[in-house]
Amino acid sequence: AALTGMSIVTQRLHGRINELDKRVDEVQLRVAQDYVTKGELSAIMERMEAHLIRIEEKMDKISLNCNK
């Protein structure tokens, strides 16, 4: 049961990572097409970093809970 739970969690995390990867690709395309300003790109990257940090924190919590 624990392995199944970890598998489901891992699949969800991979799904989120793939979703973020697609978003990064969209940002790169937007930069190439629209030539966003440095300020706009900085804001986008800060939001992306915040998303990644939240995912990392969730992964840490999950791994800590599984090790109990």
Side-chain angles (χ1 to χ4, degrees):
L3 289 175
T4 302
M6 281 299 295
S7 175
I8 291 170
V9 169
T10 302
Q11 286 176 345
R12 287 185 182 174
L13 288 173
H14 281 289
R16 292 285 297 187
I17 290 169
N18 287 336
E19 180 182 328
L20 287 172
D21 188 44
K22 289 178 186 176
R23 289 181 184 180
V24 169
D25 290 343
E26 290 172 6
V27 168
Q28 290 174 342
L29 179 61
R30 182 174 164 214
V31 168
Q33 289 178 340
D34 298 338
Y35 298 100
V36 297
T37 66
K38 287 183 181 181
E40 290 174 328
L41 182 59
S42 177
I44 291 167
M45 295 308 291
E46 285 176 16
R47 286 197 318 253
M48 185 66 62
E49 184 177 349
H51 285 293
L52 292 172
I53 289 170
R54 286 199 308 262
I55 289 173
E56 288 174 352
E57 290 171 353
K58 288 178 182 180
M59 290 173 71
D60 288 342
K61 287 179 185 178
I62 290 169
S63 67
L64 289 175
N65 288 334
C66 290
N67 291 331
K68 288 184 179 180

